[in-house]
Amino acid sequence: MKTRLNIKLTLSTLAFILVTGCASDNKPFRYENLTQEVKAIKADGGFYKVGNPYTVMGQSYTPKEDYNYSEVGIASWYGDDFHNKRTANGETYDMRAITAAHRTLPLPSIVKVTNLENGKSIIARVNDRGPYVKNRIIDVSQKGAELLGYRKKGTTRVKVEVLEKESRAIKEAMLSKTSTSKTYNTAIDYSLVENTTPKYTTEITISNTSNVSTSQQSKPITSDNSGNFFVQVGAFSDYKKAKEIAQSMKRFGNVSIYEAYLSKDGVYRVRLGAYQSRSEAMQILDRLLDYGHADVTIVQG
């Protein structure tokens, strides 16, 4: 792997990257041009925002500039179901770029995310809002989860830290008509982060059973992590209503309507999937919760 990133006007290439052991020669990457990155973000429709206070699922959040932010908690990730969709600051989400969603940090901000279970770290650009599942503090892109080593697991315990100098620089450039920053001028250096001894050696499993209920004639969710799993977003006696909901769910992935006869009248169930694992279905459920869809459940069948 080269030690210098080839700069192109694509957000996947221009994403901030920092990964332990990524370079085969163990030399640091050098990111050459903040101005070009910011121009690409703006050309894609992205803009700088802090945002007003807002409420999701009864919980209130107040976005703010906090250059001392540091927090330990659970990270999740999101991928192709949101690929090419718009993020909260207007960018196009690219699951192959190193980006992240956070509830309150300015968009964009630059953060260091460290997987406390294996010591791996990345530098990511925060450009979206979420996650809103209890105890989760950041949602990274699919590529970010791969580099941090928890894509298959689904979640991991991390430490998230704002990089003050980098975050101030990208804010300055985003707000500048010339897309430049006096803080960094034209260059930002990212050295590889050394592996640290993980503080947490016990595997941490996140259970969301309080938000998941099984419906009649659906198989209960077990500890088995393989098979056909669905995210059910509603059950309706009116087919027209079910069809309307199904149409609105297409942005989240493949959606189907299943008819079940629990009595003389039919019930139409709207489901996303199928997914090969419960953890994959949980990722979709989490995203639905992020977007305010509270009455959702996972079923196996």
Side-chain angles (χ1 to χ4, degrees):
M1 182 176 291
K2 295 181 180 180
T3 58
R4 179 167 293 184
L5 293 181
N6 183 28
I7 302 299
K8 297 179 181 179
L9 282 177
T10 61
L11 291 181
S12 59
T13 302
L14 291 172
F16 293 95
I17 266 185
L18 177 63
V19 180
T20 301
C22 178
S24 58
D25 55 4
N26 204 32
K27 293 181 181 179
F29 289 119
R30 180 177 175 83
Y31 184 85
E32 287 292 342
N33 201 321
L34 174 65
T35 300
Q36 194 167 345
E37 161 135 7
V38 169
K39 285 181 178 179
I41 294 172
K42 290 180 178 179
D44 186 47
F47 53 91
Y48 181 84
K49 65 176 289 186
V50 177
N52 298 317
Y54 64 99
T55 300
V56 175
M57 298 174 61
Q59 179 66 47
S60 297
Y61 303 96
T62 303
K64 62 180 179 178
E65 293 181 347
D66 183 0
Y67 296 116
N68 295 314
Y69 173 85
S70 178
E71 187 175 7
V72 172
I74 300 300
S76 49
W77 66 271
Y78 60 124
D80 57 0
D81 288 301
F82 293 86
H83 187 59
N84 289 328
K85 302 293 195 307
R86 289 291 172 181
T87 65
N89 78 325
E91 294 182 46
T92 302
Y93 172 63
D94 185 349
M95 66 183 184
R96 298 179 298 266
I98 317 301
T99 59
H102 191 275
R103 296 184 294 252
T104 59
L105 290 176
L107 309 177
S109 293
I110 310 302
V111 296
K112 174 184 172 184
V113 185
T114 302
N115 186 343
L116 296 177
E117 295 185 21
N118 61 20
K120 293 182 178 181
S121 297
I122 63 171
I123 297 298
R125 185 177 73 250
V126 177
N127 65 355
D128 208 356
R129 287 288 179 233
Y132 300 108
V133 176
K134 186 178 180 180
N135 296 328
R136 298 189 185 182
I137 63 172
I138 198 166
D139 229 354
V140 304
S141 64
Q142 178 176 307
K143 184 64 175 179
E146 290 173 357
L147 296 173
L148 287 170
Y150 74 92
R151 178 185 173 186
K152 291 184 178 180
K153 183 180 176 183
T155 59
T156 194
R157 195 167 181 83
V158 298
K159 182 176 183 180
V160 181
E161 304 166 272
V162 165
L163 299 185
E164 179 179 0
K165 193 173 182 182
E166 289 84 343
S167 295
R168 288 186 183 277
I170 199 168
K171 172 191 175 182
E172 186 178 2
M174 288 293 296
L175 295 178
S176 169
K177 292 182 179 180
T178 59
S179 299
T180 59
S181 167
K182 295 179 181 178
T183 303
Y184 270 137
N185 294 322
T186 60
I188 297 178
D189 289 333
Y190 294 121
S191 298
L192 295 175
V193 172
E194 298 295 330
N195 253 329
T196 57
T197 302
K199 295 181 180 180
Y200 303 89
T201 56
T202 303
E203 182 174 338
I204 298 184
T205 303
I206 302 303
S207 174
N208 201 29
T209 54
S210 61
N211 293 329
V212 176
S213 61
T214 56
S215 58
Q216 292 180 343
Q217 294 191 352
S218 297
K219 296 181 180 179
I221 299 172
T222 65
S223 59
D224 179 26
N225 202 39
S226 62
N228 291 325
F229 292 84
F230 299 84
V231 178
Q232 184 164 302
V233 296
F236 309 90
S237 58
D238 183 354
Y239 177 75
K240 183 178 179 180
K241 178 64 175 178
K243 191 174 181 180
E244 290 176 358
I245 297 298
Q247 287 290 333
S248 69
M249 288 294 117
K250 284 185 175 180
R251 62 181 297 195
F252 298 101
N254 295 326
V255 61
S256 301
I257 299 175
Y258 295 83
E259 186 174 9
Y261 291 94
L262 304 182
S263 62
K264 64 179 181 180
D265 298 318
V267 174
Y268 302 97
R269 293 171 176 161
V270 180
R271 293 178 177 178
L272 289 160
Y275 306 103
Q276 293 303 307
S277 67
R278 180 163 58 93
S279 60
E280 187 180 358
M282 277 294 297
Q283 292 163 20
I284 301 301
L285 182 141
D286 289 349
R287 297 306 295 171
L288 288 166
L289 292 175
D290 290 347
Y291 279 80
H293 301 286
D295 188 21
V296 291
T297 185
I298 296 176
V299 295
Q300 184 179 359

